[in-house]
Amino acid sequence: MTSMMNCSSEDDEAEVDELERFDDFTLASSWERFISEIEAVCRRWMADGPKNLLEKGAVLVGTSKNLYKAKCELKHDKKSYSMEYYFREKHTGKVTNWDSTWHHLQLAFGVTEFLIIAPQSASGVVLNPPESSKLLSAVAIAMSNCCCSLWPAFVPVHDPSRKAHIGIQNMGTVFTRRFESDCIRSQVPVKLMHLEGLYELFVSKFAFSTVDFSTHLYKVQFTMKLTYRTIPCDDDDYMHEAEGENIESSAGAKGELHPRSQWDDDCPWSEWYSAEDPVKGFELVTIWSDRTIESSLEMAEIENSSPHEAKMWLLLPTILENLNHSQKVKTVGFASQLSLLVVALEMSFEAQFLEDFVSVDSNAEKLRSSASIPPPTVVARVLKELFHEGVEALDFSKGDNKSSRAIKGAPSESLFAQFCLQSLWLGNCNIRAIAMLWIEFVREVRWCWEESQPLPRIPVNDTIDLSSCLVHQKLQMLAMCIEKKREANAEFFDATEGKDDVPSHIEEDFLSKPGPTENLHVGTHRKRQDGLDDTQEASNDLNALEVASDRIRRGSAGGAGSMTLLSSCQRMHVPFTQDAPPMTEDIHEERLHAVAAFGVSSSLSAQLEREILQSDMSAFKAANPDAVFEDFIRWHSPGDWVSEGSDEKESGTRLSGDWPPRGRLSKRMSDHGNFWRKLWNDAPALAAYEQKSLLDPNREGEKILHYLETLRPHQLLEQMICTAFRASADTLNQASFGDLNQMKSKLDQFYLTMASMLRPLQANQLSQDSDIFEDLKRTCVIFEHVERLTILAVSLHRKFILAPRLFQAIFNDYYNFYLPRLGNSGVEVDFHKEFDQRQQVWIDERNVVADLFIPPTSNQSWRKVLSMGNLLNGHEPVLREIIFTMRDDVSDHHYSTHNSMGPQQEIETYRMYIEGTSNDLGVSLSVVSCD
């Protein structure tokens, strides 16, 4: 009994132990929980849809415009994984094979939405095959549990450089698609470098290996995309080849080699700097039509075909990187030097005189340490270019924009503008270099003055351009003074040599030159217009010698209509008068202030007004010997004569009853001690040619030189900045870039922007702490953008001068891409984004594009062995992409009635995407099977 009880007790204990070892499968394992997590995430993504996923933080993929991804983190067996869902915001149905916005997996396998599950590691790939299979199985089970989800799932495997993936897609209850891709990075078999071998590779996936592919026909769908790139212009092999081929032609008479010419040698900016060609090359994509291939022989024919037989050409220019990353890369151009000139303006307030910046005893240690003075030889070379180089006939309208004159600077071809442009490139445009060049510049100007040598780049005429800066006005005035000195010297030498011994030159001056001459003009042109009838004009020359009241009439330009003198019944004559002397802007301002207090002012402008009036009075007395003060007022200032009889201006025969004209002086002119009457009484009767010139060239010339020699540093820099901006913009405006409306509008707009930004500099009220400096720096940034776009437009125009439509289309694409970088679009800019807009090439433009691909030279070692066909001017494709597909009819399949794909009974059973060059080959294969 006891033994039985013991036995029973042992059995109970064994049963308890057995129960303790029982596995309860109602509790999920970690593997099952992992699948459940994947399923939950997928269901949530499906329920949210694209719109909600974007609101929850889905991000745009790369440079794509319509592909987004949502991401979540998963854990299994102490490992972390990331699962990403790639989707499109808008479903546009099935996309074309060569959609440039596709993800690599979309292109490789022809899918639209997909999942990627990968470990969160440095490589981001699964190196262990069992682990990759396990991950793929987990996703496949989760997708199957979701029922309605047909998303393909991929796992990256092998080494990251191979871009290898495996994947699976549940296509319903019957069919499953499996994916696999891999890449060969070296030693590509020769057979697989040709289309025939690639075709046979695809056929081998569904045909028996013993079948001779060349004798059996398989209806395979084929499409191809070939990418060509031009050879970089700075390629070493190209340089050596060019040197070898041109060594004889480039050698001079003495065997010297000439430097290679630059692409922009004849561009307007090439005088100042050489710009790197912003178009570094071109990428041409040729897309071939879809076609059915039935044998490998057809593939051999296609390989020998010309790219001109392709269905479509797409061209992409390779733009210089610094145009895209403008905030990091600093290039040398007008904009960069103008920004240095702005810094020099800030530093100009450090000293009172320009000599202080170059003086050895200057206390500005900071200036001497940070800014260097160019050597004398460099300064001498610049001065030689400014003053002694042969200067052709100047055209100040050259490159002149309609808004250019709104900027108060000097014309771009003028002497001061050239000085400013030279300063931009001298000594890195620092204030000390500018000061030294200005001092030497003024010395050279003084030499021209003292030696009576014409100032170069300053045309001599009788007018001052008051819309220009004051320095340019002063140089114009000085050029006139030098010309007057030269004329006076010539007359003196002629007189001393006895070439002109005529004591009176009345007839010589006025009979041979009856009209207004260099410094003389008919007084009515300046004072009043009474007109001369034909009879009077014909007798002008005789009037100059008319005798009246036993005194000779001199300097007459003819009768003043029907007007007669008050003291005699003689006709009033209009005198030739001296031109008013030219005046610069500052003298004009002084004159305006002096006019208000004309009678009492002792200023220089008031003195000038007095001299002009006295000159007119003397000329009037000489032309009208019997005239009185009232006659002069009637002619010179008719508003101060109050007529009491008939209108004197009426023409007709004078009657004895009409004389003398009845009237009186105005109150202003009849006051006691009137200044005009006093001048009249003191004025001698001298014709204009007998008078001393109103312009004293010696006095005015010395005054101008004094202004130039004592000009304050900041006053010089203010005028230099206005002139340098205007001259630099005018130089760019001379560039030839065809009929680009955007570029022309941008330049017009930029001129107005410059005029607005530079206007405070014209007030001469600048201080060191002014806010204008930040505005000027922003203007330099805008100038840099405009300069880059201009150079790009010129480069593209030259390359596509025979294809204007293509040129405008490419530039417009880039302009719209670059426009947000100008800072006025309000759009957030990704400066790391590259320009990737391809432009379709029309059939009649293909020859122009093909000419861009210059045949490679024989010395280019990497081009000696051509392993691929479809050559374009000797260039083989840098990338060849092919898609093979095979479609099968599944309507007779025993599972077809249960096929969830509905009426579509033909499916793509095999697809192979191939990309490669002569050095590597990537293959992606998808196969549909019935599981």
Side-chain angles (χ1 to χ4, degrees):
M1 185 68 163
T2 304
S3 63
M4 290 179 63
M5 290 180 63
N6 291 335
C7 228
S8 176
S9 176
E10 291 176 0
D11 292 340
D12 291 340
E13 291 177 358
E15 186 177 355
V16 170
D17 292 339
E18 186 177 354
L19 289 174
E20 289 179 353
R21 292 194 299 271
F22 174 75
D23 291 333
D24 187 357
F25 287 97
T26 61
L27 299 177
S29 64
S30 60
W31 168 250
E32 292 173 310
R33 286 194 296 269
F34 183 55
I35 295 175
S36 179
E37 289 181 18
I38 295 176
E39 180 182 345
V41 172
C42 291
R43 289 184 183 276
R44 186 170 66 249
W45 283 343
M46 289 192 315
D48 286 340
K51 183 176 181 180
N52 291 331
L53 287 176
L54 291 177
E55 295 177 355
K56 292 182 178 181
V59 296
L60 193 65
V61 178
T63 60
S64 175
K65 299 178 181 179
N66 192 33
L67 184 64
Y68 297 83
K69 70 176 179 180
K71 183 178 180 181
C72 75
E73 295 184 3
L74 303 171
K75 288 188 177 182
H76 174 61
D77 286 345
K78 299 181 180 180
K79 289 186 177 180
S80 297
Y81 298 91
S82 69
M83 187 168 69
E84 298 175 338
Y85 168 46
Y86 290 77
F87 64 95
R88 290 177 177 265
E89 181 183 7
K90 298 178 181 178
H91 294 278
T92 56
K94 184 175 178 60
V95 291
T96 59
N97 284 325
W98 305 117
D99 191 334
S100 60
T101 64
W102 269 23
H103 187 274
H104 175 73
L105 292 179
Q106 291 178 309
L107 181 62
F109 299 114
V111 298
T112 52
E113 300 177 317
F114 58 93
L115 298 173
I116 294 180
I117 185 168
Q120 291 186 327
S121 61
S123 65
V125 299
V126 180
L127 301 176
N128 186 3
E131 181 184 359
S132 62
S133 299
K134 187 176 181 180
L135 282 176
L136 203 59
S137 299
V139 176
I141 295 172
M143 291 280 90
S144 178
N145 294 338
C146 291
C147 297
C148 59
S149 175
L150 300 178
W151 297 337
F154 299 96
V155 176
V157 294
H158 306 313
D159 186 82
S161 63
R162 293 166 62 175
K163 297 182 180 179
H165 290 80
I166 59 173
I168 192 170
Q169 179 184 15
N170 179 16
M171 302 180 67
T173 59
V174 178
F175 299 104
T176 301
R177 177 180 279 130
R178 289 178 172 83
F179 309 95
E180 184 177 0
S181 64
D182 206 344
C183 181
I184 301 175
R185 288 298 179 187
S186 61
Q187 300 299 323
V188 178
V190 175
K191 184 176 182 180
L192 297 181
M193 293 182 183
H194 300 280
L195 295 182
E196 185 176 357
L198 296 174
Y199 168 79
E200 294 178 355
L201 173 66
F202 175 67
V203 174
S204 67
K205 299 304 177 180
F206 53 84
F208 294 107
S209 59
T210 57
V211 174
D212 184 2
F213 299 139
S214 62
T215 60
H216 286 73
L217 303 180
Y218 298 95
K219 293 185 178 182
V220 174
Q221 299 300 314
F222 162 83
T223 184
M224 178 171 66
K225 182 175 81 170
L226 302 178
T227 302
Y228 301 86
R229 291 195 186 100
T230 56
I231 300 174
C233 61
D234 56 351
D235 184 85
D236 291 338
D237 292 334
Y238 174 81
M239 293 286 289
H240 296 319
E241 180 72 12
E243 291 175 3
E245 294 178 355
N246 299 323
I247 187 170
E248 295 182 1
S249 61
S250 63
K254 298 182 180 180
E256 298 179 354
L257 293 178
H258 300 291
R260 292 182 63 206
S261 60
Q262 301 295 324
W263 76 274
D264 60 345
D265 277 348
D266 56 346
C267 290
W269 61 79
S270 61
E271 181 182 356
W272 307 106
Y273 68 95
S274 178
E276 185 176 1
D277 192 344
V279 182
K280 305 305 296 179
F282 292 91
E283 180 179 285
L284 175 65
V285 172
T286 61
I287 298 178
W288 298 68
S289 302
D290 295 356
R291 60 187 299 179
T292 301
I293 304 297
E294 296 185 353
S295 70
S296 57
L297 296 179
E298 294 184 50
M299 299 302 298
E301 294 177 1
I302 295 175
E303 185 171 319
N304 293 325
S305 300
S306 167
H308 287 270
E309 298 182 21
K311 174 185 177 181
M312 181 183 297
W313 281 23
L314 299 173
L315 189 65
L316 171 68
T318 304
I319 306 298
L320 191 65
E321 184 180 2
N322 64 11
L323 262 72
N324 298 326
H325 305 286
S326 56
Q327 80 284 9
K328 293 184 179 180
V329 182
K330 200 69 175 178
T331 58
V332 175
F334 284 128
S336 63
Q337 303 309 112
L338 288 171
S339 64
L340 297 176
L341 189 61
V342 173
V343 175
L345 173 60
E346 291 185 90
M347 301 296 295
S348 65
F349 292 91
E350 299 291 335
Q352 190 173 4
F353 301 102
L354 287 162
E355 289 79 4
D356 295 338
F357 288 107
V358 297
S359 174
V360 179
D361 299 331
S362 175
N363 295 324
E365 293 292 339
K366 179 181 177 181
L367 285 175
R368 294 207 306 270
S369 61
S370 62
S372 60
I373 294 179
T377 54
V378 176
V379 177
R381 176 186 57 80
V382 173
L383 292 174
K384 181 179 179 182
E385 292 181 5
L386 288 173
F387 287 91
H388 305 296
E389 293 288 342
V391 180
E392 301 177 355
L394 297 179
D395 181 8
F396 278 7
S397 63
K398 183 179 179 182
D400 200 16
N401 186 278
K402 61 183 180 181
S403 303
S404 178
R405 295 179 69 85
I407 303 172
K408 200 170 181 63
S412 58
E413 295 297 322
S414 65
L415 180 61
F416 183 60
Q418 293 297 306
F419 167 83
C420 295
L421 291 176
Q422 291 282 3
S423 300
L424 293 178
W425 311 96
L426 183 69
N428 206 22
C429 196
N430 66 77
I431 183 62
R432 300 189 70 207
I434 294 172
M436 168 168 265
L437 182 61
W438 176 255
I439 293 171
E440 298 301 324
F441 175 83
V442 175
R443 287 177 182 171
E444 199 71 22
V445 170
R446 176 169 282 281
W447 180 89
C448 292
W449 163 251
E450 293 176 349
E451 300 297 327
S452 298
Q453 295 298 316
L455 284 178
R457 303 179 185 274
I458 301 291
V460 179
N461 49 46
D462 296 331
T463 59
I464 301 291
D465 183 6
L466 298 180
S467 66
S468 62
C469 64
L470 188 55
V471 169
H472 178 67
Q473 295 179 38
K474 295 291 185 182
L475 292 175
Q476 280 187 303
M477 186 76 173
L478 185 62
M480 297 179 192
C481 294
I482 292 175
E483 185 65 20
K484 296 299 180 186
K485 283 182 62 178
R486 291 167 60 88
E487 291 176 358
N489 293 339
E491 291 178 2
F492 174 77
F493 290 134
D494 289 344
T496 57
E497 292 175 7
K499 293 183 179 180
D500 186 5
D501 54 359
V502 181
S504 173
H505 51 276
I506 298 176
E507 295 184 15
E508 177 181 316
D509 281 353
F510 288 95
L511 292 180
S512 63
K513 300 179 182 179
T517 56
E518 186 175 346
N519 278 330
L520 307 178
H521 68 278
V522 180
T524 52
H525 289 189
R526 175 152 54 92
K527 305 306 177 185
R528 64 191 293 252
Q529 297 288 344
D530 287 310
L532 303 176
D533 56 33
D534 295 339
T535 304
Q536 292 166 342
E537 290 179 356
S539 62
N540 281 349
D541 296 339
L542 296 177
N543 288 332
L545 297 174
E546 180 182 334
V547 178
S549 299
D550 68 14
R551 285 181 288 181
I552 298 178
R553 188 189 304 278
R554 307 184 308 280
S556 171
S562 61
M563 296 179 65
T564 57
L565 300 178
L566 294 174
S567 60
S568 66
C569 194
Q570 296 183 25
R571 182 176 57 179
M572 181 186 292
H573 282 248
V574 177
F576 284 106
T577 57
Q578 291 196 62
D579 286 331
M583 289 178 285
T584 56
E585 184 179 40
D586 54 340
I587 301 300
H588 267 289
E589 292 177 356
E590 289 184 19
R591 184 181 183 188
L592 290 176
H593 292 302
V595 168
F598 182 75
V600 296
S601 174
S602 59
S603 67
L604 294 176
S605 293
Q607 179 66 26
L608 179 60
E609 289 287 346
R610 199 159 35 241
E611 292 175 356
I612 294 174
L613 183 58
Q614 191 169 29
S615 172
D616 290 347
M617 289 178 174
S618 295
F620 187 82
K621 281 186 175 182
N624 300 279
D626 292 331
V628 293
F629 175 66
E630 287 77 3
D631 291 321
F632 176 76
I633 296 299
R634 290 163 59 210
W635 166 72
H636 190 283
S637 182
D640 286 311
W641 175 258
V642 181
S643 179
E644 296 177 352
S646 60
D647 191 352
E648 292 187 60
K649 296 181 181 179
E650 295 180 0
S651 59
T653 305
R654 296 192 305 270
L655 301 176
S656 59
D658 294 335
W659 184 88
R662 294 185 293 277
R664 67 181 187 280
L665 293 174
S666 66
K667 184 178 184 305
R668 181 171 76 103
M669 291 298 174
S670 59
D671 288 342
H672 179 71
N674 178 265
F675 178 74
W676 285 45
R677 185 178 290 277
K678 183 177 183 303
L679 279 182
W680 172 265
N681 295 333
D682 296 338
L686 295 174
Y689 61 83
E690 298 173 322
Q691 300 174 12
K692 179 182 177 182
S693 175
L694 290 175
L695 175 64
D696 185 346
N698 293 311
R699 181 183 64 185
E700 295 298 327
E702 288 298 333
K703 286 167 55 179
I704 292 170
L705 287 168
H706 176 75
Y707 167 82
L708 297 177
E709 291 168 343
T710 59
L711 190 61
R712 296 297 176 89
H714 71 90
Q715 293 176 340
L716 171 63
L717 267 296
E718 289 169 12
Q719 298 183 61
M720 284 184 64
I721 284 183
C722 292
T723 299
F725 266 97
R726 173 178 169 176
S728 300
D730 285 345
T731 302
L732 293 180
N733 197 51
Q734 298 174 30
S736 175
F737 45 71
D739 189 19
L740 284 180
N741 293 329
Q742 298 99 322
M743 203 63 235
K744 293 178 180 178
S745 299
K746 178 56 65 176
L747 284 171
D748 291 343
Q749 179 185 356
F750 182 59
Y751 271 102
L752 298 177
T753 301
M754 284 193 299
S756 175
M757 291 292 191
L758 298 174
R759 191 167 293 115
L761 297 179
Q762 305 171 15
N764 197 23
Q765 297 177 349
L766 199 64
S767 61
Q768 192 169 11
D769 56 352
S770 175
D771 296 334
I772 186 63
F773 297 111
E774 292 301 320
D775 293 336
L776 292 175
K777 292 175 182 178
R778 284 193 292 269
T779 307
C780 290
V781 173
I782 300 174
F783 198 112
E784 183 177 9
H785 291 307
V786 174
E787 185 174 17
R788 287 175 173 175
L789 287 174
T790 302
I791 295 174
L792 175 64
V794 171
S795 177
L796 289 174
H797 180 251
R798 293 185 169 203
K799 295 172 175 61
F800 297 101
I801 194 169
L802 297 179
R805 184 212 65 86
L806 184 59
F807 155 62
Q808 293 192 19
I810 292 176
F811 183 82
N812 291 347
D813 287 341
Y814 189 84
Y815 183 84
N816 294 330
F817 165 80
Y818 193 83
L819 188 60
R821 286 161 170 76
L822 300 181
N824 53 5
S825 64
V827 179
E828 185 177 354
V829 180
D830 180 10
F831 286 98
H832 297 282
K833 183 179 180 181
E834 300 291 342
F835 176 67
D836 58 358
Q837 183 69 38
R838 291 178 171 84
Q839 185 60 230
Q840 183 173 352
V841 181
W842 291 2
I843 295 295
D844 58 348
E845 298 168 338
R846 290 190 176 185
N847 288 331
V848 175
V849 173
D851 290 341
L852 298 173
F853 292 80
I854 302 174
T857 58
S858 58
N859 281 355
Q860 290 173 319
S861 59
W862 54 283
R863 292 284 182 181
K864 286 183 178 179
V865 180
L866 299 178
S867 56
M868 303 166 67
N870 304 113
L871 301 182
L872 177 63
N873 286 352
H875 292 257
E876 67 177 8
V878 297
L879 179 65
R880 179 169 58 189
E881 299 172 83
I882 300 171
I883 296 178
F884 291 112
T885 58
M886 173 70 78
R887 306 185 69 86
D888 287 327
D889 187 358
V890 296
S891 58
D892 294 334
H893 196 276
H894 65 285
Y895 288 118
S896 61
T897 56
H898 305 289
N899 186 13
S900 63
M901 293 182 292
Q904 183 181 358
Q905 298 298 304
E906 187 178 73
I907 64 172
E908 187 181 84
T909 53
Y910 292 90
R911 174 191 171 94
M912 179 179 285
Y913 168 75
I914 303 170
E915 62 172 339
T917 65
S918 57
N919 299 320
D920 54 42
L921 181 69
V923 178
S924 302
L925 177 67
S926 64
V927 180
V928 175
S929 61
C930 179
D931 295 341

